[in-house]
Amino acid sequence: MARWRRAIELSMSAEEIEHLTSLSRSRSEPARRVQRAQMLLAYSENPSFYAVGRSLGVHHQTVERCIERALVFGPLAALDDRPHPGKEPTITPEARAWLVSLACDKAKQHGYPHELWTTRLLADYARKHGPTAGHSCLAKLVQGTVCKLLAREEIKPHKVRYYLEQRDAEFEQKMAEVLCVYREVQVLKKIAKSGKSDRSVAIVSYDEKPGIQAIATTAPDLPPVPGVHATFARDHEYKRHGTLSLLAGIDLLTGKVHALVRDRHRSREFIEILKLLDARYPPHTTLKVLLDNHSAHISKETRTWLAAQPAGRFEFTFTPKHGSWLNLIEGFFSKFARSVLRHIRVSSKYELKQRIMAAIDDINRRPVIHTWSYKLAEVA
């Protein structure tokens, strides 16, 4: 004779009931957790396995197991499946550690012409050399398993993420010097707004933009045609005429751009633009130039020319190594490349030079005063 099923007394706190109620109405939780929450709530109102089973459409033994788990582990823990024993892992922890260590090397270190591993290459190497290293479980390793193991360890040996090593030991000090220049620009702007013009100092942010390509089309561009194609159409083939370098300095107080376009950007070209700046400003004005550490800026030829100038005429402030982003003119070059140089096609280097200088003249007709604010408040 079957034994009489006795109701199990299940007590739950108000917080547990509130949490279970929220779960029982969830549309994002797994269905098994929602159903078990409904079982526990229904059983708390009517402690009958059969009644709860009929109301939820499940077998009464399913309800009984859920209530028993809640009694032993707690109502909230009963919502999750108990861990199953499962199959013993084929790949040992030692083999996994060996494979991960291998993935942290480069493929070229192990005799391959490849720079980095691919998962297929890594699996092939592990199959060949794993057993001899004492990991016989890797003899039949497949690419998919390699992907899973590497994903578990969050390793992506087939990818490269670039970083910038700080090689300038005096980076912070030099950055502070650059920011002090921008602070001086702010002070001079306030003086200019008050109506007191100070022409004794001019601050110029200078740099070169090399490698501007003079590219010609081999067939005419086709203009947009309404209802046919919305953009210009251009033949894929093109002809190269060489490259030019744009040497430019922007006056941080007026926004005016001083520029030259030359084939190269050596010391002689740098001295040429220094002469241009010298001619554009009154003799008594101190020209403070913010620039990077290009060899032309510190060459013997450049230093010799500067030594021949009146004392205090030029003052250079150099950005730290790998800190050219601190130079405000980089933003100007970025905008110039997007608005003027993008998609540009010319018939010769001469035409490219003329169009660049025409664009500079157009900018100078409506100069924009650039402002630097990043970390400026940190400068005393």
Side-chain angles (χ1 to χ4, degrees):
M1 181 178 178
R3 67 179 177 87
W4 182 262
R5 294 182 181 274
R6 299 177 61 185
I8 300 174
E9 184 178 351
L10 178 65
S11 60
M12 295 186 293
S13 65
E15 291 79 5
E16 290 173 333
I17 292 176
E18 182 180 357
H19 189 66
L20 290 172
T21 303
S22 175
L23 283 175
S24 67
R25 298 170 181 170
S26 175
R27 295 187 178 184
S28 58
E29 286 286 331
R32 62 180 181 276
R33 286 173 57 84
V34 174
Q35 190 180 60
R36 288 167 187 169
Q38 293 171 349
M39 289 181 197
L40 294 173
L41 291 172
Y43 188 83
S44 67
E45 296 178 0
N46 182 12
S48 169
F49 303 139
Y50 291 94
V52 173
R54 281 196 302 268
S55 65
L56 296 178
V58 296
H59 198 275
H60 65 87
Q61 290 181 347
T62 303
V63 180
E64 183 178 5
R65 286 194 297 270
C66 179
I67 302 304
E68 288 175 347
R69 282 202 304 273
L71 193 63
V72 176
F73 303 107
L76 299 182
L79 301 177
D80 298 315
D81 292 332
R82 286 179 291 182
H84 300 285
K87 182 182 177 182
E88 286 294 328
T90 305
I91 300 177
T92 63
E94 293 78 10
R96 287 202 303 270
W98 179 82
L99 185 67
V100 170
S101 176
L102 181 67
C104 292
D105 294 336
K106 287 187 175 182
K108 68 176 184 179
Q109 296 175 245
H110 296 271
Y112 288 95
H114 310 70
E115 178 73 12
L116 303 177
W117 291 111
T118 64
T119 51
R120 188 183 301 277
L121 194 65
L122 190 58
D124 180 67
Y125 183 89
R127 284 195 300 269
K128 291 178 181 177
H129 300 278
T132 58
H135 308 296
S136 56
C137 56
L138 299 177
K140 296 183 179 180
L141 185 68
V142 296
Q143 182 185 5
T145 305
V146 171
C147 294
K148 292 177 183 177
L149 292 175
L150 295 181
R152 188 182 304 170
E153 300 294 335
E154 297 184 354
I155 294 177
K156 300 176 181 179
H158 59 288
K159 290 189 175 183
V160 174
R161 187 180 67 178
Y162 289 90
Y163 74 100
L164 185 62
E165 182 179 352
Q166 185 170 311
R167 295 184 173 89
D168 195 334
E170 300 177 351
F171 187 93
E172 297 293 334
Q173 177 185 342
K174 293 179 180 178
M175 179 176 71
E177 292 175 1
V178 173
L179 297 181
C180 284
V181 172
Y182 293 137
R183 174 57 62 86
E184 184 178 359
V185 171
Q186 280 193 339
V187 173
L188 293 174
K189 286 179 180 178
K190 289 180 181 178
I191 293 175
K193 284 183 179 179
S194 66
K196 301 176 181 179
S197 178
D198 185 0
R199 297 181 180 273
S200 62
V201 177
I203 301 176
V204 177
S205 175
Y206 170 83
D207 201 4
E208 299 95 0
K209 184 174 180 59
I212 303 174
Q213 296 192 71
I215 298 177
T217 56
T218 56
D221 288 345
L222 304 179
V225 178
V228 181
H229 54 88
T231 65
F232 277 92
R234 175 172 287 170
D235 189 85
H236 287 283
E237 293 189 6
Y238 56 88
K239 183 178 180 180
R240 297 180 185 272
H241 292 296
T243 60
L244 293 175
S245 293
L246 170 62
L247 296 80
I250 183 169
D251 190 315
L252 299 183
L253 298 174
T254 65
K256 186 173 182 180
V257 180
H258 307 282
L260 292 175
V261 179
R262 296 293 183 264
D263 290 342
R264 301 172 68 180
H265 57 290
R266 300 162 295 178
S267 298
R268 65 186 66 179
E269 285 81 17
F270 179 56
I271 292 174
E272 192 175 350
I273 197 164
L274 290 179
K275 291 179 178 179
L276 175 66
L277 293 174
D278 187 49
R280 295 281 175 87
Y281 291 92
H284 65 276
T285 302
T286 299
L287 299 177
K288 296 188 176 182
V289 184
L290 184 63
L291 68 173
D292 61 21
N293 295 273
H294 190 274
S295 59
H297 305 161
I298 55 177
S299 67
K300 181 179 179 180
E301 187 178 351
T302 300
R303 285 186 279 112
T304 301
W305 185 86
L306 289 172
Q309 306 310 305
R313 177 59 167 171
F314 286 94
E315 291 184 9
F316 286 178
T317 300
F318 293 97
T319 58
K321 192 171 184 179
H322 293 314
S324 59
W325 54 272
L326 286 165
N327 202 341
L328 199 146
I329 198 171
E330 296 291 347
F332 168 79
F333 280 152
S334 176
K335 183 178 179 181
F336 192 82
R338 295 193 307 270
S339 60
V340 178
L341 302 178
R342 188 184 181 195
H343 303 311
I344 194 168
R345 292 295 184 267
V346 293
S347 59
S348 64
K349 288 172 66 175
Y350 177 77
E351 182 188 347
L352 177 61
K353 176 181 178 180
Q354 295 300 111
R355 291 177 64 177
I356 290 175
M357 292 308 299
I360 296 294
D361 292 339
D362 184 65
I363 292 170
N364 285 334
R365 279 192 285 271
R366 295 178 296 275
V368 176
I369 299 177
H370 297 256
T371 303
W372 182 278
S373 58
Y374 177 68
K375 286 193 173 183
L376 200 58
E378 299 180 15
V379 182

mmCIF file of all heavy atoms in Angstrom, residues 207-225:
data_model
loop_
_atom_site.group_PDB
_atom_site.id
_atom_site.type_symbol
_atom_site.label_atom_id
_atom_site.label_comp_id
_atom_site.label_asym_id
_atom_site.label_seq_id
_atom_site.Cartn_x
_atom_site.Cartn_y
_atom_site.Cartn_z
ATOM 1 N N ASP A 207 53.740 73.122 -37.518
ATOM 2 C CA ASP A 207 54.066 71.728 -37.845
ATOM 3 C C ASP A 207 54.076 71.563 -39.355
ATOM 4 O O ASP A 207 53.703 72.477 -40.105
ATOM 5 C CB ASP A 207 53.056 70.758 -37.215
ATOM 6 C CG ASP A 207 53.622 69.351 -37.084
ATOM 7 O OD1 ASP A 207 54.814 69.157 -37.402
ATOM 8 O OD2 ASP A 207 52.888 68.433 -36.689
ATOM 9 N N GLU A 208 54.501 70.392 -39.802
ATOM 10 C CA GLU A 208 54.486 70.056 -41.229
ATOM 11 C C GLU A 208 53.491 68.930 -41.480
ATOM 12 O O GLU A 208 53.302 68.051 -40.633
ATOM 13 C CB GLU A 208 55.865 69.596 -41.710
ATOM 14 C CG GLU A 208 56.964 70.620 -41.575
ATOM 15 C CD GLU A 208 57.754 70.478 -40.295
ATOM 16 O OE1 GLU A 208 57.424 69.560 -39.499
ATOM 17 O OE2 GLU A 208 58.676 71.278 -40.073
ATOM 18 N N LYS A 209 52.879 68.980 -42.645
ATOM 19 C CA LYS A 209 52.032 67.873 -43.099
ATOM 20 C C LYS A 209 52.648 67.330 -44.389
ATOM 21 O O LYS A 209 52.372 67.839 -45.481
ATOM 22 C CB LYS A 209 50.601 68.331 -43.342
ATOM 23 C CG LYS A 209 49.663 67.175 -43.727
ATOM 24 C CD LYS A 209 48.231 67.628 -43.808
ATOM 25 C CE LYS A 209 47.325 66.451 -44.200
ATOM 26 N NZ LYS A 209 47.413 65.331 -43.238
ATOM 27 N N PRO A 210 53.492 66.296 -44.272
ATOM 28 C CA PRO A 210 54.176 65.774 -45.454
ATOM 29 C C PRO A 210 53.328 64.754 -46.206
ATOM 30 O O PRO A 210 52.264 64.315 -45.735
ATOM 31 C CB PRO A 210 55.417 65.111 -44.863
ATOM 32 C CG PRO A 210 54.951 64.622 -43.526
ATOM 33 C CD PRO A 210 53.928 65.621 -43.046
ATOM 34 N N GLY A 211 53.809 64.373 -47.384
ATOM 35 C CA GLY A 211 53.198 63.276 -48.129
ATOM 36 C C GLY A 211 51.817 63.554 -48.691
ATOM 37 O O GLY A 211 50.999 62.633 -48.834
ATOM 38 N N ILE A 212 51.503 64.803 -49.017
ATOM 39 C CA ILE A 212 50.216 65.112 -49.662
ATOM 40 C C ILE A 212 50.317 64.685 -51.120
ATOM 41 O O ILE A 212 51.110 65.237 -51.889
ATOM 42 C CB ILE A 212 49.888 66.608 -49.547
ATOM 43 C CG1 ILE A 212 49.870 67.030 -48.078
ATOM 44 C CG2 ILE A 212 48.548 66.911 -50.200
ATOM 45 C CD1 ILE A 212 49.693 68.533 -47.886
ATOM 46 N N GLN A 213 49.535 63.716 -51.517
ATOM 47 C CA GLN A 213 49.686 63.113 -52.837
ATOM 48 C C GLN A 213 49.006 63.939 -53.928
ATOM 49 O O GLN A 213 47.864 64.372 -53.768
ATOM 50 C CB GLN A 213 49.093 61.705 -52.842
ATOM 51 C CG GLN A 213 49.818 60.742 -51.926
ATOM 52 C CD GLN A 213 49.377 59.317 -52.180
ATOM 53 O OE1 GLN A 213 49.700 58.722 -53.208
ATOM 54 N NE2 GLN A 213 48.641 58.769 -51.247
ATOM 55 N N ALA A 214 49.744 64.138 -55.016
ATOM 56 C CA ALA A 214 49.184 64.760 -56.219
ATOM 57 C C ALA A 214 48.709 63.632 -57.127
ATOM 58 O O ALA A 214 49.506 62.993 -57.815
ATOM 59 C CB ALA A 214 50.224 65.630 -56.907
ATOM 60 N N ILE A 215 47.420 63.376 -57.115
ATOM 61 C CA ILE A 215 46.848 62.244 -57.844
ATOM 62 C C ILE A 215 45.929 62.783 -58.938
ATOM 63 O O ILE A 215 45.107 63.676 -58.694
ATOM 64 C CB ILE A 215 46.068 61.308 -56.908
ATOM 65 C CG1 ILE A 215 47.022 60.731 -55.854
ATOM 66 C CG2 ILE A 215 45.392 60.186 -57.671
ATOM 67 C CD1 ILE A 215 46.337 59.844 -54.843
ATOM 68 N N ALA A 216 46.076 62.226 -60.126
ATOM 69 C CA ALA A 216 45.244 62.639 -61.259
ATOM 70 C C ALA A 216 44.312 61.504 -61.649
ATOM 71 O O ALA A 216 44.630 60.318 -61.485
ATOM 72 C CB ALA A 216 46.124 63.018 -62.448
ATOM 73 N N THR A 217 43.156 61.863 -62.152
ATOM 74 C CA THR A 217 42.220 60.861 -62.662
ATOM 75 C C THR A 217 42.629 60.460 -64.073
ATOM 76 O O THR A 217 43.272 61.219 -64.808
ATOM 77 C CB THR A 217 40.789 61.425 -62.686
ATOM 78 O OG1 THR A 217 40.783 62.626 -63.468
ATOM 79 C CG2 THR A 217 40.297 61.732 -61.281
ATOM 80 N N THR A 218 42.264 59.249 -64.483
ATOM 81 C CA THR A 218 42.539 58.782 -65.842
ATOM 82 C C THR A 218 41.305 58.892 -66.728
ATOM 83 O O THR A 218 41.385 58.654 -67.929
ATOM 84 C CB THR A 218 43.002 57.319 -65.807
ATOM 85 O OG1 THR A 218 42.015 56.524 -65.150
ATOM 86 C CG2 THR A 218 44.326 57.190 -65.059
ATOM 87 N N ALA A 219 40.175 59.228 -66.117
ATOM 88 C CA ALA A 219 38.929 59.433 -66.856
ATOM 89 C C ALA A 219 38.133 60.500 -66.120
ATOM 90 O O ALA A 219 38.286 60.661 -64.895
ATOM 91 C CB ALA A 219 38.126 58.129 -66.953
ATOM 92 N N PRO A 220 37.294 61.241 -66.816
ATOM 93 C CA PRO A 220 36.550 62.325 -66.156
ATOM 94 C C PRO A 220 35.607 61.790 -65.076
ATOM 95 O O PRO A 220 35.044 60.700 -65.202
ATOM 96 C CB PRO A 220 35.759 62.960 -67.308
ATOM 97 C CG PRO A 220 36.450 62.525 -68.551
ATOM 98 C CD PRO A 220 37.034 61.182 -68.267
ATOM 99 N N ASP A 221 35.452 62.572 -64.005
ATOM 100 C CA ASP A 221 34.452 62.242 -62.990
ATOM 101 C C ASP A 221 33.061 62.479 -63.553
ATOM 102 O O ASP A 221 32.832 63.432 -64.308
ATOM 103 C CB ASP A 221 34.642 63.119 -61.751
ATOM 104 C CG ASP A 221 35.877 62.728 -60.953
ATOM 105 O OD1 ASP A 221 36.406 61.628 -61.198
ATOM 106 O OD2 ASP A 221 36.294 63.520 -60.087
ATOM 107 N N LEU A 222 32.131 61.602 -63.187
ATOM 108 C CA LEU A 222 30.749 61.730 -63.645
ATOM 109 C C LEU A 222 29.924 62.376 -62.547
ATOM 110 O O LEU A 222 29.916 61.890 -61.407
ATOM 111 C CB LEU A 222 30.175 60.359 -63.995
ATOM 112 C CG LEU A 222 30.963 59.557 -65.042
ATOM 113 C CD1 LEU A 222 30.287 58.212 -65.278
ATOM 114 C CD2 LEU A 222 31.067 60.343 -66.342
ATOM 115 N N PRO A 223 29.223 63.468 -62.838
ATOM 116 C CA PRO A 223 28.472 64.169 -61.785
ATOM 117 C C PRO A 223 27.226 63.386 -61.368
ATOM 118 O O PRO A 223 26.778 62.483 -62.082
ATOM 119 C CB PRO A 223 28.094 65.491 -62.464
ATOM 120 C CG PRO A 223 28.040 65.151 -63.917
ATOM 121 C CD PRO A 223 29.095 64.121 -64.146
ATOM 122 N N PRO A 224 26.662 63.738 -60.210
ATOM 123 C CA PRO A 224 25.417 63.080 -59.786
ATOM 124 C C PRO A 224 24.290 63.350 -60.776
ATOM 125 O O PRO A 224 24.219 64.420 -61.385
ATOM 126 C CB PRO A 224 25.124 63.720 -58.434
ATOM 127 C CG PRO A 224 26.419 64.297 -57.977
ATOM 128 C CD PRO A 224 27.159 64.688 -59.213
ATOM 129 N N VAL A 225 23.417 62.371 -60.921
ATOM 130 C CA VAL A 225 22.240 62.492 -61.785
ATOM 131 C C VAL A 225 21.018 62.131 -60.953
ATOM 132 O O VAL A 225 20.930 61.011 -60.445
ATOM 133 C CB VAL A 225 22.339 61.567 -63.015
ATOM 134 C CG1 VAL A 225 21.074 61.690 -63.868
ATOM 135 C CG2 VAL A 225 23.572 61.892 -63.839
#
